[in-house]
Structures are given as structure tokens and as C-alpha cells.
Amino acid sequence: MTSTTSQQELFRFLEDRFACAQACTECARACALRASLVDPDGSTDQERVRRKGIMCAEVCDATCRMLSEQAGQDEATLRAQVEWCRTVCLETAQAFDEHPGAEDGAKACRECAQACTDFLATLDA
């Protein structure tokens, strides 16, 4: 019975890890697109949105790569990366909320933050 429980926990861990990596990929794509659509010579607010989008894309890309690697990673490093990703995604979603036309980017950021939260819960289990 414990073997089945261990297998179920492993499957959940792998599923949540994959879902988080996939959400990170989608968020990175949406943020890079949003950043590319903002006028680089625009207002201070537009520059803030562009910078947030670029940073979020980079953090999500790095997190996805880390989640996709099978090489030995310590849990503390993995946890720190996923928590950082979640924080950056939430901050970026808030910045996008204030920018007309950025709804899809904000949604992708929130979905990524939720996937990160779900994966962190799996780590805690």
C-alpha cells in the first residue's frame, strides 16, 4: 500500500512539475510578446510594463529550463527559483492590468503563478 502511495505522490510531483514548466513557457511567450508590442520610446509607464514583461519572460524561461532538467537539483534551489517565478509573475500581472491590451499577458502570468503555487504545495507534501 505504501508503494502505491509513493507512486501516486511521484506521479503528482511529476505532473505538477510538468504543468508548472508548461505554464512558465506560456507566460514567457506572452510576456515577450507584450514587451515587444510596447513602444520602447513611450511613457515611463510603458517602459515599466516593457521591463516587467522582459524580466518575467526571462525568469519564466529560466524556471522552465530548471524544471525540465533531470540532473540532480537540490530542493532548496528549485523551491527558490519557483517562488521567485511566482512573485515576478504576480508583479507582472499587476503591471499588465494597468496597461490596455495586456489582458492575455496578465492572464498567462496569473496562470503561471498558480502553477508555481501548486508545484510548491507538491514539494511540501
Side-chain angles (χ1 to χ4, degrees):
M1 188 118 129
T2 45
S3 175
T4 304
T5 302
S6 297
Q7 281 184 322
Q8 288 173 341
E9 289 172 356
L10 177 62
F11 288 144
R12 178 166 179 220
F13 172 80
L14 293 173
E15 285 175 352
D16 287 349
R17 185 175 178 136
F18 177 76
C20 189
Q22 190 172 16
C24 287
T25 297
E26 292 301 317
C27 186
R29 186 177 300 125
C31 287
L33 176 62
R34 173 57 24 210
S36 73
L37 295 174
V38 176
D39 181 5
D41 297 321
S43 68
T44 304
D45 181 55
Q46 288 178 328
E47 177 58 23
R48 180 177 159 268
V49 167
R50 191 172 82 70
R51 278 195 326 266
K52 286 280 187 184
I54 291 168
M55 182 175 169
C56 192
E58 290 175 354
V59 170
C60 284
D61 183 56
T63 304
C64 178
R65 279 186 277 122
M66 179 179 263
L67 289 167
S68 299
E69 292 174 1
Q70 295 301 318
Q73 301 165 346
D74 68 278
E75 186 177 318
T77 302
L78 185 60
R79 179 182 299 280
Q81 180 70 36
V82 173
E83 286 175 351
W84 183 37
C85 184
R86 177 178 59 185
T87 300
V88 169
C89 284
L90 291 173
E91 290 173 359
T92 303
Q94 288 175 344
F96 285 177
D97 284 341
E98 300 165 8
H99 193 72
E103 296 82 9
D104 289 346
K107 181 178 182 242
C109 288
R110 285 193 176 83
E111 288 172 354
C112 185
Q114 184 59 54
C116 288
T117 299
D118 294 345
F119 180 63
L120 289 168
T122 301
L123 288 176
D124 292 335

